[in-house]
Amino acid sequence: MSSHYEAPIREPLILGEKSYHDISVDVGAPILGKANKSWWIVFSIALIAFLWGLGCIVYTVTTGIGVWGLNKTIGWAWDITNFVWWVGIGHAGTLISAVLLLFRQKWRMAINRSAEAMTIFAVVQAGLFPIIHMGRPWLAYWVLPIPNQFGSLWVNFNSPLLWDVFAISTYLSVSLVFWWTGLLPDFAMIRDRTKSPFQQKIYGILSFGWSGRAKDWQRFEEVSLVLAGLATPLVLSVHTIVSFDFATSVVPGWHSTIFPPYFVAGAIFSGFAMVQTLLLVMRKVVNLENYITIVHIEFMNKVILLTGGIVTVAYLTEYFIGWYSGVPYENYTYLSFGAATGPYWWAFWALIICNLIVPLTLWVKAWRRNIVWTFFVALVINIGMWFERFDIIVLCLSKDRLTSSWTMFSPTFVDIGVFVGTIGFFFVLFLLYARTFPVIAQAEVKSILKSSGARYKRIRESGEDLAGTAADSRTSNYAERTTLASASNNDKTYHQATVNADALLDTEAKKAEVDLMLSRIGIYDPATQTADDLKLISGVGPVLEQKLHQLGIYTYDQVSKMTKTEYDLLDEIIDAFPGRAERDDWAGQAQKLKQ
Amino acid sequence: MASANVLHALYNDDDILMKAVKELRAKKYRIIEVYTPFPVHGLDKAMGLAPTRLAITSFIYGLIGLSVATLMMNFIMIEDWPRNIGGKPSFSYLQNMPAFVPIMFELTVFFAAHLMVITFYLRSKIWPFQKAANPDVRTTDDHFLIEVDAANHDLDALSKFLYDTGASEISLIHNEEHA
């Protein structure tokens, strides 16, 4: 069909002989199945790391921030480095689900669910740091403009740290509803596929009663589009506001107008690296290689290449301006030959090597399509982008305007423990997610199956019509296409076997009504049940009993479930059916006879 | 109503479904509802559904968010406690506005996004503990179901017609609610 036209030059995004049903099966498998041993091993490690980090947090809060390696000059180090790092990682999720949706990129569909999950879990980690790096975190609620007993003492809206509160909480909550709304059809699919009553209940609640009506889908798509339109400026603004923490200061090296776009580019750069790291493992573990293909990996590598290029340009700009400004402080701190050769030279060169040099290898097509190399580069970028934040924060603070306050920073085990703990927490959440959530937006992938599936591209290229090609023999295994009209020739193939009422039923519609009635009052199975003596019901004679038998009614139990609807139907079908049935309350009589 | 019957026609392919919907509309049969496992593009057009106005509500909610942010910060920073914090001018809202832009922006997005989503949930009647209404569980997997109003139609002719559009299963449903 013309609606499915896609240029032949495009590589397929879904490999293999997939039908719509295959997608449901593949996406549902990790949820409906059991976790394997390696999942439990990795989960245990993550959980231990998380608990260790939790211990470090409790220790910090109960003992004091002094257990960290901070000093009077360097008041921000690992805490805010990790905060910015985690927020940055979160940004790729929104980029994939929102920006790529606005650009109508079909390849986003297989990865957006996991990328959004990554966003949410990463922002949760990031959100810990603004709390725990406070000296008095139990007063954290004072950052909110809540009317209070101090004559209503308010907050100061000039501070980027307050903007952060608004930015991060808006970002987290909007990402969450965006993600959840997209999950509704997929939860509904699990709800309708699972055999376990417990899962049916849970996914019934999670799916909010999603039924997939045409009008719901129309609204769903509009909501997705508007949310994407809102999330795109949001994601740009959030990291912009995070960058204001530094850019609005007077610290040489921080005070810079390039920070907002440069931080955002860096966030997407590091975020995509993290998506690669996670998805390369996930596609293997959950058997999704047919959905997250080498094409997806290559496209993500291209985004990494682009944003990495932007970050490189930003570095060069900073060095140029550091020199061009003629400000000696800028010149010294930033440019900064001091950085490259000073006490933190290793952090500086780690940044240059990890962010500028290693990603350049992705220009080679064979390498960006190489899974092992991609995984390695992604890891390297994650490390490099951590150093970028560390360099910006610590290097610039360590040698500020007064030489008398120059100092060094070294982390304590608590600094490190908290960071390790957030990594553990992140993986705990992600691993639980991978077992309980549909990791691929199956409804969206189904909508591109015919345009971008390998099988359908092949069918289309051979000039055939795609209509009917997505049917799956496992779900469409009808003995014969069963309809009211077609069945008149061999009606017994689908009507209830206990019904032998051809003489009574003149139309197919009536037969269908009898089937419906039996489905309401119960179907008599001669193999397991014995017929009751219906003649004991007052008003039923031998002739009427025989007619009831013809219609498949044999037991008191069936009669006891009859209501006015059934009486009316029988009235219509059986000539001699007495109108007294209702008045005599056959159902009530049968109920008594049953006991 | 003489008949409260509806016919459920089940299809196993979206292209066949689209064709069937168009044919049903051409024959002036009333389609009560269509259930699909994924968004079939163009289905709302083919069914003749009115466009949704959720985007308009979102715009209005955004304006509300912007007003809330402006009124809040004007009251707190300019009217209630006009302090000198780091030499920032607190004489009028406009003078210190650049510092207020980030929160004005965030609250606009916050209101526009959340209130629109809530509107969507209420309008489509989806929320936790809501019972699913799809008549066949296969409609969330790979089947497409058209619910056709059979009132005043010859059931046999209508089901024959549905059969010819490619329906793989047709069943008659007594709709108690309409009876």
Side-chain angles (χ1 to χ4, degrees), chain A residues 265-386:
Chain A
I268 296 163
F269 182 52
S270 68
F272 264 86
M274 188 56 115
V275 175
Q276 291 278 37
T277 319
L278 292 175
L279 288 192
L280 288 176
V281 177
M282 199 181 78
R283 70 196 281 273
K284 196 85 192 161
V285 176
V286 201
N287 298 319
L288 295 172
E289 282 110 324
N290 281 322
Y291 302 97
I292 301 166
T293 67
I294 202 78
V295 182
H296 293 85
I297 294 165
E298 191 191 4
F299 286 165
M300 284 195 277
N301 276 335
K302 283 180 176 172
V303 177
I304 288 177
L305 208 48
L306 172 73
T307 49
I310 295 172
V311 171
T312 304
V313 170
Y315 292 154
L316 297 177
T317 309
E318 296 220 52
Y319 300 141
F320 174 74
I321 296 295
W323 164 77
Y324 187 68
S325 66
V327 178
Y329 298 114
E330 282 281 309
N331 200 319
Y332 181 79
T333 318
Y334 217 137
L335 161 77
S336 146
F337 296 112
T341 56
Y344 285 110
W345 62 271
W346 46 272
F348 174 85
W349 288 109
L351 162 95
I352 298 294
I353 292 167
C354 295
N355 290 352
L356 268 58
I357 297 173
V358 174
L360 287 179
T361 55
L362 296 178
W363 282 99
V364 182
K365 184 166 184 173
W367 288 7
R368 69 171 176 258
R369 287 180 83 103
N370 181 315
I371 291 174
V372 177
W373 183 252
T374 300
F375 189 73
F376 173 73
V377 172
L379 276 182
V380 164
I381 292 171
N382 281 320
I383 296 166
M385 285 306 290
W386 190 88

Side-chain angles (χ1 to χ4, degrees), chain A residues 20 471 475-476 478 481, chain B residues 7-24 31 34-37 138-139 141-148 158-170:
Chain A
Y20 292 136
T475 56
S476 327
Y478 324 103
R481 281 170 63 193
Chain B
L7 281 178
H8 282 182
L10 211 57
Y11 295 81
N12 55 17
D13 191 278
D14 47 335
D15 289 317
I16 298 176
L17 171 88
M18 283 292 281
K19 203 161 62 75
V21 166
K22 284 175 191 155
E23 286 172 17
L24 278 165
I31 296 171
V34 178
Y35 298 89
T36 64
R138 286 173 294 180
T139 59
D141 180 1
D142 66 343
H143 277 65
F144 306 80
L145 191 147
I146 305 182
E147 208 174 70
V148 189
L158 176 53
S159 58
K160 175 81 172 64
F161 178 78
L162 286 170
Y163 180 80
D164 290 340
T165 61
S168 44
E169 242 178 72
I170 298 171

Side-chain angles (χ1 to χ4, degrees), chain A residues 203-474:
Chain A
Y203 289 100
I205 296 168
L206 295 182
S207 63
F208 290 12
W210 178 266
S211 312
R213 299 181 193 92
K215 187 72 190 176
D216 291 353
W217 281 119
Q218 186 202 40
R219 292 193 183 119
F220 177 91
E221 296 219 284
E222 180 97 344
V223 165
S224 305
L225 193 62
V226 175
L227 279 181
L230 289 169
T232 303
L234 182 63
V235 73
L236 301 182
S237 80
V238 168
H239 221 63
T240 295
I241 290 173
V242 169
S243 82
F244 283 163
D245 295 350
F246 313 102
T248 59
S249 74
V250 293
V251 177
W254 282 10
H255 185 76
S256 166
T257 52
I258 203 177
F259 270 22
Y262 149 56
F263 265 51
V264 171
I268 296 163
F269 182 52
S270 68
F272 264 86
M274 188 56 115
V275 175
Q276 291 278 37
T277 319
L278 292 175
L279 288 192
L280 288 176
V281 177
M282 199 181 78
R283 70 196 281 273
K284 196 85 192 161
V285 176
V286 201
N287 298 319
L288 295 172
E289 282 110 324
N290 281 322
Y291 302 97
I292 301 166
T293 67
I294 202 78
V295 182
H296 293 85
I297 294 165
E298 191 191 4
F299 286 165
M300 284 195 277
N301 276 335
K302 283 180 176 172
V303 177
I304 288 177
L305 208 48
L306 172 73
T307 49
I310 295 172
V311 171
T312 304
V313 170
Y315 292 154
L316 297 177
T317 309
E318 296 220 52
Y319 300 141
F320 174 74
I321 296 295
W323 164 77
Y324 187 68
S325 66
V327 178
Y329 298 114
E330 282 281 309
N331 200 319
Y332 181 79
T333 318
Y334 217 137
L335 161 77
S336 146
F337 296 112
T341 56
Y344 285 110
W345 62 271
W346 46 272
F348 174 85
W349 288 109
L351 162 95
I352 298 294
I353 292 167
C354 295
N355 290 352
L356 268 58
I357 297 173
V358 174
L360 287 179
T361 55
L362 296 178
W363 282 99
V364 182
K365 184 166 184 173
W367 288 7
R368 69 171 176 258
R369 287 180 83 103
N370 181 315
I371 291 174
V372 177
W373 183 252
T374 300
F375 189 73
F376 173 73
V377 172
L379 276 182
V380 164
I381 292 171
N382 281 320
I383 296 166
M385 285 306 290
W386 190 88
F387 274 110
E388 183 199 290
R389 278 69 178 251
F390 179 81
D391 287 358
I392 289 171
I393 294 171
V394 175
L395 262 73
C396 296
L397 286 178
S398 71
K399 291 187 176 180
D400 203 346
R401 288 196 163 84
L402 283 175
T403 47
S404 59
S405 56
W406 282 10
T407 184
M408 290 289 289
F409 168 83
S410 63
T412 65
F413 82 94
V414 192
D415 282 301
I416 299 166
V418 171
F419 181 47
V420 170
T422 56
I423 293 175
F425 192 14
F426 176 79
F427 278 100
V428 164
L429 291 172
F430 197 84
L431 286 164
L432 287 175
Y433 150 82
R435 293 273 310 120
T436 49
F437 280 52
V439 293
I440 282 183
Q442 52 91 21
E444 292 195 55
V445 170
K446 282 173 186 171
S447 72
I448 59 160
L449 178 66
K450 275 192 174 174
S451 60
S452 305
R455 171 165 174 253
Y456 303 91
K457 286 176 89 76
R458 204 178 57 233
I459 295 174
R460 192 169 47 237
E461 270 153 42
S462 69
E464 282 171 55
D465 189 7
L466 283 173
T469 48
D472 191 296
S473 61
R474 283 167 297 172

Side-chain angles (χ1 to χ4, degrees), chain A residues 34-53:
Chain A
K34 279 211 169 12
N36 57 17
K37 207 166 138 199
S38 53
W39 185 89
W40 281 108
I41 292 171
V42 180
F43 181 75
S44 308
I45 296 170
L47 193 64
I48 290 167
F50 168 45
L51 293 175
W52 168 250

